[in-house]
């Protein structure tokens, strides 16, 4: 019997895990692969929901917990967290010695993972390379650095795949598989309006806004001030009967300032506003469905999910600030600055303008339509291992 390939998978925060879920599931289901889940970062932090429990509820075994110590809400603390993450990950990887190490996207936790894996000569697969975000979150710098360190690339769109090739990566290393989160959405694996009514008291007959705003890394000291106009707009909408769900940001520098503003809103106990550290993937997608074709509502904030995961639901998007500037998107997105009236007007349009909602419901998602997880698993199971995989060559 052929020995299964050992695939280590790293996840460092809730949003990333939601995107990785179909990949982890496909790897665990593949007859030639055996998955080992490394969990760290915000998953282990009570301030950000300790979302390790969500992973356990999904039935995945956690092979290793990765300590990434972040004592303060600063850029210096972020750099130090990368260092502690490299140390912790290298120890766990050295014990397992996997055939592949799978790392996602563009965050500092993932950068630590890629550095640890590649410096140990472990073939490393990077998902979501080649994207562009020009909004000051350091994402582009981190993402492209991770691409150059990694040995195998799974992109979410053809524009990104071409960009990775132009970075000098050999074409055989680059595979455009689509956006993994769409696997679950295409399969209908999200909460129904009835489940959302039971869990969150949401009335499917009334409009909904789901809101998440992260800090912009290069402007992290302004994070609190930047979120206040949006929260003021949310208060106004709530006073008019719109149901508002506010969720916590990522654990980036500046995130705790945003959490402080969210806690102020929560303490006001305003009708129609609720604050949650994390909804979990299934509930979050269910709310996007309720905001789109299943009901009436809007996504507002600056998360990449507002760009990548809303179009398939026909959900209008109010994208606030610069964080997602330059990212490939469908035509269901309206951009605003940090201005209360502009945010309020854009949300009201997304809720009440039937012509705009009809347009949003008919857009084409540039990130594919599903089946990314099985594609990734098949490539990991069949690509040749050996020196050629880890000895990279530039194509220019």
């Amino acid at each position: 019997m052929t020995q299964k390939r050992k695939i280590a998978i790293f996840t460092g925060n809730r949003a990333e895990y939601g995107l990785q879920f179909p990949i982890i599931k496909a790897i665990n289901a593949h007859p030639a692969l055996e998955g080992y889940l490394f969990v760290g970062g915000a998953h282990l932090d009570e301030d950000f929901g300790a979302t390790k429990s969500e992973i356990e509820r999904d039935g995945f075994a956690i092979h290793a917990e990765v300590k990434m110590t972040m004592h303060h809400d600063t850029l210096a603390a972020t750099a130090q967290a990368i260092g502690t993450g490299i140390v912790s990950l290298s120890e766990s990887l050295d014990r397992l010695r996997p055939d592949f190490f799978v790392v996602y996207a563009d965050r500092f936790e993932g950068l630590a993972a890629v550095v640890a894996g590649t410096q140990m000569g472990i073939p490393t697969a990077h998902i979501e390379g080649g994207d562009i975000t020009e909004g000051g979150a350091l994402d582009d710098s981190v993402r492209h650095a991770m691409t150059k360190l990694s040995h195998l690339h799974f992109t979410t769109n053809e524009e990104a795949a071409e960009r990775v090739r132009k970075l000098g990566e050999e074409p055989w290393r680059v595979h455009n598989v689509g956006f993994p989160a769409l696997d679950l959405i295409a399969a209908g694996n999200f909460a129904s309006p009835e489940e959302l009514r039971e869990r969150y008291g949401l009335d499917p007959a009334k409009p909904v806004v789901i809101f998440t705003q992260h800090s912009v890394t290069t402007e992290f000291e302004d994070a609190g001030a930047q979120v206040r106009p949006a929260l003021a707009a949310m208060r106004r909408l709530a006073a008019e009967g719109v149901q508002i769900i506010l969720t916590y940001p990522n654990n980036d520098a500046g995130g705790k300032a945003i959490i402080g503003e969210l806690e102020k809103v929560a303490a006001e106990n305003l009708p129609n506003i609720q604050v949650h550290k994390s909804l979990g993937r299934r509930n979050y997608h269910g709310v996007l469905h309720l905001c789109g074709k299943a009901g009436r509502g809007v996504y507002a904030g600056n998360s990449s999910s507002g760009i990548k995961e809303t179009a398939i639901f026909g959900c209008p998007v109010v994208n606030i600030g610069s964080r997602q500037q330059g990212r490939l998107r469908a035509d269901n997105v309206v951009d605003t600055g940090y201005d209360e009236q502009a945010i309020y007007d854009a949300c009201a349009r997304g809720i009440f303008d039937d012509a705009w909602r009809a347009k949003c419901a008919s857009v084409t998602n540039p990130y594919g339509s599903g089946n990314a997880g099985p594609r990734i698993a098949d490539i990991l199971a069949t690509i040749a291992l050996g020196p050629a995989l880890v000895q990279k060559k530039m194509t220019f």
Side-chain angles (χ1 to χ4, degrees):
M1 181 178 177
T2 304
Q3 186 174 6
K4 291 185 177 183
R5 290 183 175 182
K6 294 190 291 187
I7 312 297
I9 310 140
F10 172 73
T11 177
N13 70 84
R14 71 179 190 216
E16 173 193 82
Y17 168 68
L19 307 179
Q20 289 174 297
F21 180 93
I23 302 166
I24 301 167
K25 185 177 179 181
I27 287 171
N28 287 345
H30 199 287
L33 304 176
E34 191 166 7
Y36 295 83
L37 197 55
F38 288 31
V39 174
H43 286 303
L44 309 180
D45 190 336
E46 289 290 344
D47 288 342
F48 294 90
T51 45
K52 169 191 167 187
S53 59
E54 179 184 341
I55 298 171
E56 293 169 331
R57 284 195 300 271
D58 284 334
F60 293 135
I62 295 174
H63 178 75
E65 292 187 11
V66 178
K67 304 298 182 185
M68 304 186 78
T69 306
M70 193 165 177
H71 293 299
H72 305 288
D73 194 27
T74 65
L75 295 180
T78 303
Q80 292 158 12
I82 292 171
T84 60
I86 292 171
V87 171
S88 183
L89 279 158
S90 64
E91 293 170 349
S92 296
L93 288 169
D94 193 46
R95 288 191 291 269
L96 179 63
R97 279 289 164 180
D99 296 295
F100 267 107
F101 190 28
V102 177
V103 183
Y104 205 100
D106 50 28
R107 289 183 50 77
F108 69 87
E109 302 98 333
L111 178 60
V114 168
V115 170
T118 56
Q119 288 300 299
M120 295 174 69
I122 297 169
T124 301
H126 179 217
I127 300 163
E128 211 175 294
D131 279 11
I132 291 290
T133 47
E134 303 164 341
L138 299 184
D139 290 3
D140 277 4
S141 300
V142 171
R143 188 187 307 109
H144 302 328
M146 290 170 70
T147 289
K148 293 310 300 176
L149 288 168
S150 299
H151 308 102
L152 202 59
H153 313 286
F154 296 115
T155 68
T156 65
N157 61 89
E158 187 51 41
E159 286 185 18
E162 179 60 19
R163 213 169 276 122
V164 170
R165 290 189 286 266
K166 286 181 177 178
L167 285 170
E169 296 299 295
E170 297 166 278
W172 65 267
R173 298 181 184 272
V174 184
H175 304 267
N176 179 24
V177 297
F179 188 48
L182 301 184
D183 292 18
L184 299 172
I185 298 169
N189 189 356
F190 48 83
S192 67
E194 292 72 25
E195 290 176 272
L196 296 174
R197 182 196 288 272
E198 182 177 341
R199 289 174 186 160
Y200 303 109
L202 292 176
D203 183 348
K206 295 180 180 180
V208 179
V209 175
I210 182 164
F211 174 88
T212 305
Q213 187 164 315
H214 304 296
S215 68
V216 177
T217 312
T218 54
E219 304 168 4
F220 79 96
E221 292 175 332
D222 300 324
Q226 287 175 345
V227 79
R228 286 181 204 125
L231 295 178
M234 296 303 112
R235 289 183 179 95
R236 288 173 60 184
L237 290 163
E240 296 170 5
V242 178
Q243 302 169 105
I244 308 293
I245 295 182
L246 309 176
T247 65
Y248 273 32
N250 289 328
N251 60 328
D252 301 301
K256 289 185 178 178
I258 294 174
I259 290 172
E261 297 299 322
L262 293 174
E263 289 177 342
K264 291 177 186 176
V265 176
E268 294 169 8
N269 291 314
L270 297 172
N272 295 320
I273 296 183
Q274 49 187 296
V275 180
H276 297 278
K277 290 184 177 181
S278 173
L279 296 185
R281 177 200 68 259
R282 178 178 169 81
N283 294 324
Y284 177 72
H285 285 160
V287 175
L288 291 182
H289 184 224
L290 189 59
C291 290
K293 297 173 184 177
R296 185 174 289 270
V298 168
Y299 166 87
N302 65 2
S303 171
S304 62
S305 69
I307 306 295
K308 293 185 170 184
E309 297 170 53
T310 55
I312 196 169
F313 293 111
C315 174
V317 174
V318 177
N319 180 57
I320 302 170
S322 64
R323 194 171 190 268
Q324 299 303 328
Q325 183 178 326
R327 193 183 282 277
L328 179 68
R329 61 185 63 189
D331 292 332
N332 62 321
V333 181
V334 172
D335 296 311
T336 76
Y338 304 110
D339 179 83
E340 176 186 339
Q341 189 63 46
I343 294 166
Y344 172 87
D345 290 343
C347 287
R349 181 190 180 200
I351 293 168
F352 300 113
D353 186 333
D354 289 340
W356 172 236
R357 290 190 59 80
K359 181 177 180 179
C360 293
S362 64
V363 299
T364 300
N365 193 335
Y367 293 97
S369 57
N371 207 41
R375 291 176 188 170
I376 291 170
D378 284 340
I379 293 166
L380 292 173
T382 57
I383 197 164
L385 300 175
L389 186 59
V390 293
Q391 295 172 358
K392 294 180 65 175
K393 299 177 182 178
M394 296 287 284
T395 59
F396 57 79

